[in-house]
Amino acid sequence: MSSDQTTASGAESETDASADTHTSAGVSAGAGAGDTPQDSPFRHETTARDEAPQFVLPLVVRIERNEPPARTDALETAARAVLVILSDERSLGDGEWAQAVRDWQDARIRKVVRRARGAEWRRAEALSGITVTGKSAEVRVFPPVPLDGWPKDLARLQVSGTDLDDPEPPVDADPSVPVLWLSPYLDMTAGKEMAQSGHGAQLAWWELSDEERTAWREAGFPLAVRTADPDRWAQLTTSGLPLVRDAGFTEIAPGKTLVVEGHHRVGSLPGPRRQ
């Protein structure tokens, strides 16, 4: 399966991240032990999913010129945004977004991150979607759209210029929540890392039971995104955990980009919060 596949716009492919994802032990997200299921959208081989109409999940990060978000917060907020739309009632059953979500997941799993500020952000907010807010970041996620059928106000947004920094080094990840570990060997823009983090969160979601998903949602989807040190990365990528791979069509060479660790901890999160 290819990842970060070229899209209709050459520039767009900079942060288009289509998940080439499975566990190193051969366990697909949302599946039990054994071979990768035939219907998994994360199979490596060419399948009927490549022949299906291709859709993309748009994410827009707000980057005001004088108040850009912190990089790590933007990554974590993007990951939560993917989980929010996957769990939204409009994406389920007969919801208004459900068919688009099914069409998207029936093909390759693509995500594109674009940036907006000022009037651009206000126009994006007027479109049907969900804004997820972190400590400093705002990310709006939209229902999937055809690869060549972006709404005009999203199509005009730029994918370049998503380089962000952390004012201070991020603190150690909370060991009680799922952690999305990025490769220490890759140099990616924040936009591309946001898309990769979204893939990792989606893998974690598919690993969970309905009860675990409810617990995670009600807890506010706590998670962390961190860059692994080299020794930790070597252990993670040989541990059988869900793994995101990139086929190398855009910013980076083919290879492993992110490992999902700790998704099993969701089951021990506090139950639904009371009003």
Side-chain angles (χ1 to χ4, degrees), residues 40-176:
S40 169
F42 289 159
R43 287 177 59 81
H44 188 74
E45 301 86 352
T46 299
T47 72
R49 290 181 182 277
D50 296 300
E51 305 301 325
Q54 299 296 302
F55 287 74
V56 61
L57 186 77
L59 297 106
V60 176
V61 57
R62 184 178 186 180
I63 304 181
E64 297 293 345
R65 196 178 307 276
N66 297 323
E67 292 182 296
R71 186 184 186 99
T72 297
D73 190 41
L75 305 185
E76 293 174 347
T77 303
R80 284 195 298 272
V82 171
L83 296 168
V84 166
I85 198 166
L86 286 174
S87 63
D88 191 278
E89 62 182 10
R90 289 167 288 185
S91 299
L92 306 173
D94 296 325
E96 63 181 289
W97 300 340
Q99 187 60 54
V101 171
R102 285 193 291 270
D103 289 342
W104 170 56
Q105 294 187 106
D106 281 345
R108 294 307 184 189
I109 306 300
R110 301 177 183 230
K111 300 178 181 71
V112 173
V113 177
R114 298 189 175 202
R115 64 174 174 86
R117 63 168 62 101
E120 296 173 331
W121 176 256
R122 292 190 291 273
R123 285 193 293 268
E125 279 197 307
L127 300 176
S128 182
I130 306 169
T131 297
V132 178
T133 303
K135 296 176 181 178
S136 62
E138 290 180 79
V139 175
R140 189 162 180 84
V141 60
F142 303 87
V145 298
L147 202 58
D148 58 355
W150 283 69
K152 179 178 63 176
D153 285 331
L154 297 183
R156 66 179 58 172
L157 298 177
Q158 299 294 311
V159 293
S160 60
T162 57
D163 292 317
L164 299 170
D165 296 311
D166 281 315
E168 299 178 358
V171 299
D172 290 344
D174 183 344
S176 69

